[in-house]
Amino acid sequence: MDFEVLGQLSVHEGDRSVTLGSYKQRSLLALLLINRGTVVSTDRIIDELWGEDTAVDRQNALWVHVSNLRSELEPDRERRSEGTVILTRTPGYYVELGDGQLDADRFERLLVTGRSRMAEDPEGAASTLREALELWHGRAYEEFSYESFAQAEIGRLDELRLEAVEARLDADLARGLSAELTSELETLTRQHPLRERFTGQLMLALHRSGRQAEALRAYQGLRSRLAHELG
């Protein structure tokens, strides 16, 4: 069973696409995935999913959502059993994942591997980092971007994605692809005008392509932006 969070939340088991149900139910799974490896207390789940809303029996609603998720994830599990994915553990619930079942974990491992290959094998590093970036299909936990329980993890993964892009560009620069990268780097510097590393990479690519005056203008532009925006 594969869990995907680098975009819209989805779960697949072979050719079967798992139906995850209502937004609240999907939020429950997202919360457990973000906190994989730790037990999330019932009180915290209720606070995160329902807040101060007392119009519903929140404890009973949580039981229903857990039961429904278990049924969708493991439709063939033994009746009245908890299955093997969402486990009841005092004081709440725990999601049990095997190695590589979550795309975010696979991405992070590939990022580490790509970085480790940079010095000795830039071509292999670039290939590994591309493989990592191909796992993304949008923003991490995209549909939960306004949920407080998801924002820290979204920010962490988005930063790692940018670091993976930077590392892949370093690998391609080391391979001598300066001219081929300038257009992409110009786009990235427009999208992230205060991110110094993208501008540094653009300057290097321009310089190596014989466009020294443009490299200097890129530096001056960043210097001006930093002074204006950050003092």
Side-chain angles (χ1 to χ4, degrees), residues 1 9 27 40 46 60 62 67 70-71 77 79 87 111 116 138 140 150 164 166 177 182 195 210 223 229:
M1 190 176 295
L9 175 64
S27 298
V40 185
I46 288 173
N60 187 61
L62 175 57
S67 177
R70 283 172 170 165
S71 295
R77 83 190 195 287
R79 193 163 180 260
L87 308 179
L111 175 55
S116 70
E166 290 170 338
L177 301 179
T182 53
R195 199 169 183 92
R223 182 176 183 275
E229 297 290 340

Side-chain angles (χ1 to χ4, degrees), residues 111 114-130 133 161-178 180-182 184-185 188 195-205 208:
L111 175 55
R115 284 171 164 167
S116 70
R117 302 177 70 180
M118 190 78 69
E120 296 182 0
D121 181 16
E123 184 172 353
S127 177
T128 300
L129 292 163
R130 284 193 183 87
L133 290 164
R161 183 185 192 181
L162 287 174
E163 290 178 12
V165 173
E166 290 170 338
R168 194 269 300 164
L169 289 165
D170 279 341
D172 282 340
L173 285 168
R175 295 169 60 207
L177 301 179
S178 298
E180 294 87 344
L181 295 174
T182 53
E184 179 184 1
L185 281 163
L188 287 168
R195 199 169 183 92
E196 296 177 46
R197 191 169 172 187
F198 282 146
T199 297
Q201 290 170 322
L202 174 60
M203 291 165 58
L204 183 60
R208 289 178 176 176

Side-chain angles (χ1 to χ4, degrees), residues 19-20 22 24-29 31-32 40-42 45-46 49-50 58-75 77 80-89 91-95:
T19 300
L20 298 176
S22 67
K24 197 75 74 177
Q25 202 160 285
R26 296 169 68 83
S27 298
L28 169 61
L29 180 58
L31 175 60
L32 293 174
V40 185
S41 72
T42 297
I45 295 172
I46 288 173
L49 268 58
W50 285 277
R58 298 178 295 177
Q59 180 65 73
N60 187 61
L62 175 57
W63 288 335
V64 170
H65 287 316
V66 169
S67 177
N68 288 343
L69 271 177
R70 283 172 170 165
S71 295
E72 294 293 353
L73 292 169
E74 299 181 276
R77 83 190 195 287
R80 296 187 180 278
S81 73
E82 65 181 10
T84 62
V85 180
I86 299 178
L87 308 179
T88 302
R89 296 290 183 270
Y93 297 96
Y94 174 92
V95 64

Side-chain angles (χ1 to χ4, degrees), residues 125-170:
S127 177
T128 300
L129 292 163
R130 284 193 183 87
E131 183 182 352
L133 290 164
E134 286 170 0
L135 293 172
W136 287 75
H137 304 287
R139 194 178 186 202
Y141 293 94
E142 192 168 272
E143 65 198 287
F144 310 107
S145 57
Y146 296 106
E147 300 291 348
S148 59
F149 70 78
Q151 288 175 4
E153 180 69 352
I154 289 171
R156 186 185 75 85
L157 288 170
D158 282 350
E159 174 62 25
L160 287 177
R161 183 185 192 181
L162 287 174
E163 290 178 12
V165 173
E166 290 170 338
R168 194 269 300 164
L169 289 165
D170 279 341

Side-chain angles (χ1 to χ4, degrees), residues 177-228:
L177 301 179
S178 298
E180 294 87 344
L181 295 174
T182 53
S183 178
E184 179 184 1
L185 281 163
E186 286 168 347
T187 298
L188 287 168
T189 55
R190 286 193 296 270
Q191 292 173 341
H192 306 278
L194 300 180
R195 199 169 183 92
E196 296 177 46
R197 191 169 172 187
F198 282 146
T199 297
Q201 290 170 322
L202 174 60
M203 291 165 58
L204 183 60
L206 289 169
H207 175 77
R208 289 178 176 176
S209 302
R211 300 162 64 180
Q212 286 83 357
E214 292 174 74
L216 182 57
R217 282 197 294 272
Y219 163 75
Q220 291 169 334
L222 174 63
R223 182 176 183 275
S224 176
R225 291 192 298 275
L226 290 174
H228 179 72

